[in-house]
Amino acid sequence: MRRRTPPPPSPLPQRDGVDPVRVRLPAGDAWATVRDHLVARLAAGTGVVDGMLDAGLIVDVTGRAVPRDMAYAPGMFVWFHRELPDEERVPFAVDVLYRDEHVVVADKPHFLATTPRGGHVAETALARLRRELGIPALGAAHRLDRLTAGLVLFTVRPEERGAYQSLFRDKRVAKEYEAVAPYDPALVLPRTVRSRIVKERGVLAAREVEGEPNAVSRVELLEHGYGRARYRLTPGTGQTHQLRVHMSALGVPILGDPLYPEVTGPVAAGDFRSPLQLLARVLEFTDPVTGREHRFVSPRVLGAWSSYDEWAG
């Protein structure tokens, strides 16, 4: 098997904990200049690429500014910093539960994305931790939904990231979630839910369809009162929104869920009330580099259980 050659290191430093964008010019294209390709590829608006080139904001592997007339060269890399979107600051801390020379385990709050994506770039757990811990090379071994709180594993050394990512790919991480949802005395628990879930690009909600199951979740009742209950959720697979879909299908959708059982209107920027009551509570694994046995537990308390009136706003 032929091993891929890693891309060259970026000549530009991070900005606010965010890596510069790297673009590789593909083979087979017949553009006259680098500029022509970037205008077509980036679709950034009239004059944007030209303005960046004229300002020296797009550079080659040596860090030199790319001129407008630089000839197109297949395989060439260029870098630039994206214009960061206006982001509402998520007013909750990312708590570090554990740190060594290999990994960082953080407890992410609700509403904060794990890694830069879409309109969430500098205001993400990864960018924040890079800034706060002074670890520019920090990377995420997996992702947690923006609306879900709880434990996330980050890696310190880029050359070791693959080893930790493989833990999740090969299902060698034991994960437990906690949720607050309505209590249904007729719902027989514990039970294991199996179904086929599909998530289409551009569609907010995933859905269950007929076919071979690709999503497995264990659902257990922890306690109940006042028409609500705490549930332990143990995913056996990792489909998008799997736990949220399965809880909704059982007739007890997780409190604060804007997608299940039905999509509601978008929440206004800066509205951090009534967060989704889903928490990645436990993360347990054997460290693939050191061999240490790790078990981490989030100390967070879900608001809809501890203080429902305050959570509901």
Side-chain angles (χ1 to χ4, degrees), residues 53-88:
L53 290 167
D54 293 343
L57 300 179
I58 302 177
V59 303
D60 65 12
V61 69
T62 68
R64 291 179 296 188
V66 173
R68 283 202 197 194
D69 60 353
M70 176 176 279
Y72 184 92
M76 174 183 175
F77 289 93
V78 297
W79 288 262
F80 59 88
H81 281 288
R82 75 187 83 182
E83 190 69 30
L84 296 181
D86 292 329
E87 298 180 68
E88 188 78 29

Side-chain angles (χ1 to χ4, degrees), residues 7 15 32-33 38 57 60 62 107 148 166 170 172 182 196 202-203 208 235 257 280 289 304 306:
R15 181 182 295 171
T33 65
L38 293 179
L57 300 179
D60 65 12
T62 68
D107 197 350
T148 303
S166 70
D170 300 337
R172 290 183 285 134
R196 185 166 191 82
V203 179
E208 291 183 305
D257 197 328
V289 176
S306 62

Side-chain angles (χ1 to χ4, degrees), residues 16-174:
D16 293 327
V18 179
D19 293 323
V21 175
R22 183 186 69 233
V23 175
R24 185 178 187 273
L25 309 187
D29 287 351
W31 302 100
T33 65
V34 175
R35 177 261 178 203
D36 292 343
H37 173 75
L38 293 179
V39 168
R41 179 169 178 174
L42 300 180
T46 304
V48 172
V49 170
D50 286 335
M52 294 175 68
L53 290 167
D54 293 343
L57 300 179
I58 302 177
V59 303
D60 65 12
V61 69
T62 68
R64 291 179 296 188
V66 173
R68 283 202 197 194
D69 60 353
M70 176 176 279
Y72 184 92
M76 174 183 175
F77 289 93
V78 297
W79 288 262
F80 59 88
H81 281 288
R82 75 187 83 182
E83 190 69 30
L84 296 181
D86 292 329
E87 298 180 68
E88 188 78 29
R89 176 166 175 78
V90 177
F92 312 113
V94 182
D95 298 323
V96 174
L97 300 189
Y98 177 82
R99 176 182 177 181
D100 64 23
E101 62 270 33
H102 304 284
V103 298
V104 171
V105 177
D107 197 350
K108 183 186 82 66
H110 294 103
F111 300 109
L112 189 69
T114 303
T115 57
R117 189 176 186 182
H120 307 282
V121 182
E123 192 59 11
T124 59
L126 177 61
R128 272 202 200 177
L129 289 171
R130 283 174 171 176
R131 298 192 299 264
E132 294 170 5
L133 301 181
I135 309 176
L138 195 71
H142 65 122
R143 278 207 304 258
L144 205 57
D145 284 348
R146 185 177 69 87
L147 298 183
T148 303
L151 302 181
V152 185
L153 177 66
F154 296 89
T155 61
V156 174
R157 299 173 177 174
E159 65 272 19
E160 296 174 348
R161 188 170 306 155
Y164 290 98
Q165 289 175 327
S166 70
L167 291 176
F168 295 88
R169 181 194 66 210
D170 300 337
K171 299 181 176 60
R172 290 183 285 134
V173 178

Side-chain angles (χ1 to χ4, degrees), residues 171-309:
K171 299 181 176 60
R172 290 183 285 134
V173 178
K175 295 184 287 185
E176 290 181 14
Y177 289 72
E178 185 177 309
V180 178
Y183 173 63
D184 180 0
L187 181 62
V188 178
L189 296 175
R191 70 167 62 187
T192 298
V193 182
R194 293 179 174 86
S195 70
R196 185 166 191 82
I197 295 176
V198 297
K199 175 69 167 65
E200 300 168 0
R201 184 182 293 274
V203 179
L204 292 176
R207 58 191 176 91
E208 291 183 305
V209 298
E210 295 294 329
E212 184 72 20
N214 63 358
V216 179
S217 306
R218 177 76 171 172
V219 181
E220 301 171 74
L221 178 67
L222 295 175
E223 58 181 325
H224 68 89
Y226 304 100
R228 302 182 300 279
R230 288 176 58 233
Y231 298 89
R232 178 188 293 121
L233 310 178
T234 308
T237 54
Q239 297 298 320
T240 300
H241 297 174
Q242 172 182 315
L243 298 176
R244 297 162 66 180
V245 171
H246 280 166
M247 289 293 285
S248 181
L250 291 175
V252 286
I254 298 172
L255 295 183
D257 197 328
L259 297 181
Y260 307 97
E262 59 185 36
V263 178
T264 60
V267 176
D271 185 353
F272 301 111
R273 297 171 299 174
S274 306
L276 174 69
Q277 294 300 278
L278 182 61
L279 171 68
R281 174 71 77 190
V282 177
L283 201 61
E284 188 172 0
F285 60 93
T286 300
D287 192 302
V289 176
T290 67
R292 295 174 189 153
E293 298 292 334
H294 289 301
R295 188 175 193 272
F296 303 102
V297 180
S298 169
R300 291 184 186 273
V301 177
L302 290 170
W305 183 256
S306 62
S307 50
Y308 180 81
D309 291 341

